[in-house]
Amino acid sequence: MEQINCSILLIDDHPMLRNGVKQLINTVNHFDIVGETGSGIEGVKLAEELDPDIILLDINMQDVNGLEILRYLRQKNISSRIIMFTVSDAKEDIITALKTGADGYLLKDMEPEDFLKSLQEISIGKLVMDNAISHIILNYMRHNKQPIAKQMHDVSLLTLRENEIFNLLVQGLSNKLIARDLGIVESTVKVHIKSIFKKLNFKSRMEMTVWYLQSKE
């Protein structure tokens, strides 16, 4: 698996768990925890300031619910991959996270090696979900296919460069790999991704990729 330098923001109101997760993540050289907080409000500020590659976000926060944080960040077109990292395996939380724009859903009781493997996969652009809840998400997708509405997801609205990036996004490439492939800087890729999400009315890469695959069926 190709190693890609990856910045991570950790938003979780349990200090001991945060410290444990930090220690685990720091065992991987190309992962860099650029920020951490136990406050949802501060987490939003850090997400906007730092624009990390990955945000690990708990659902059950004391000040602001993690799903509300997710909704706000997606409304702001934050280009980070937002992964819900929680103890909740409730179907309602899982489906709400998916519909609101989460790029993945991991449970805190997963094995450390599986957690690091998931982060590795996220860093190169793959979509991840905990094996324990993947059947819930897949069943939801299978039984809740919406008619393909071209007027809501009109790819013809994209510029030539945005179209190039869109085609790489739906292949699962990360921002860094897209930048490398197109010979541009990563910050430019992030600007284009925000524009793509806005023009095509998508909240996340997961939502966009699912729509793309369905449209090809």
Side-chain angles (χ1 to χ4, degrees):
M1 184 178 294
E2 185 176 0
Q3 292 189 348
I4 301 293
N5 291 332
C6 184
S7 57
I8 299 173
L9 170 62
L10 183 58
I11 305 175
D12 192 299
D13 62 359
H14 292 84
M16 289 183 63
L17 184 135
R18 256 195 346 265
N19 287 333
V21 170
K22 282 194 304 181
Q23 290 177 10
L24 184 61
I25 290 175
N26 284 333
T27 64
V28 181
N29 291 332
H30 57 282
F31 286 158
D32 179 22
I33 298 178
V34 294
E36 61 159 309
T37 181
S39 162
I41 295 173
E42 185 180 359
V44 167
K45 293 179 181 177
L46 289 175
E48 294 181 304
E49 291 172 5
L50 300 172
D51 196 19
D53 296 314
I54 297 173
I55 298 173
L56 288 175
L57 174 61
D58 192 11
I59 288 181
N60 300 312
M61 303 284 291
Q62 290 186 4
D63 55 351
V64 183
N65 183 277
L67 295 172
E68 289 301 318
I69 296 172
L70 171 64
R71 182 174 290 107
Y72 176 84
L73 292 177
R74 287 312 184 204
Q75 288 173 348
K76 290 293 185 179
N77 291 320
I78 295 294
S79 65
S80 307
R81 289 180 176 276
I82 304 179
I83 310 299
M84 309 311 294
F85 186 48
T86 178
V87 298
S88 175
D89 59 359
K91 180 179 179 180
E92 295 77 13
D93 286 342
I94 297 166
I95 299 306
T96 299
L98 174 66
K99 292 172 68 175
T100 306
D103 289 301
Y105 199 104
L106 300 176
L107 298 179
K108 288 181 178 179
D109 62 357
M110 66 192 308
E111 295 295 330
E113 58 269 25
D114 292 333
F115 173 70
L116 288 179
K117 181 181 178 182
S118 293
L119 281 186
Q120 297 272 19
E121 292 178 342
I122 294 164
S123 73
I124 61 170
K126 293 186 178 181
L127 303 174
V128 299
M129 60 186 80
D130 195 287
N131 289 334
I133 55 92
S134 60
H135 66 285
I136 294 176
I137 295 178
L138 293 175
N139 283 338
Y140 172 79
M141 290 180 176
R142 187 176 300 118
H143 295 108
N144 290 271
K145 287 187 178 182
Q146 300 296 324
I148 302 301
K150 292 185 178 180
Q151 67 273 20
M152 291 189 62
H153 306 306
D154 188 356
V155 180
S156 68
L157 296 174
L158 303 180
T159 65
L160 180 60
R161 176 62 85 189
E162 288 170 349
N163 194 63
E164 289 178 324
I165 292 175
F166 169 80
N167 287 324
L168 294 174
L169 279 172
V170 295
Q171 292 177 40
L173 271 67
S174 66
N175 294 353
K176 286 183 171 64
L177 288 178
I178 291 173
R180 184 183 306 173
D181 191 77
L182 297 178
I184 57 180
V185 296
E186 187 183 356
S187 59
T188 300
V189 172
K190 290 182 177 181
V191 170
H192 283 307
I193 290 175
K194 289 181 180 181
S195 177
I196 291 169
F197 282 177
K198 186 174 183 179
K199 287 182 178 180
L200 299 187
N201 194 30
F202 286 120
K203 301 184 186 74
S204 70
R205 297 164 196 251
M206 177 179 283
E207 183 184 23
M208 183 169 63
T209 302
V210 169
W211 171 82
Y212 176 78
L213 294 174
Q214 290 180 1
S215 69
K216 294 299 179 182
E217 291 181 354

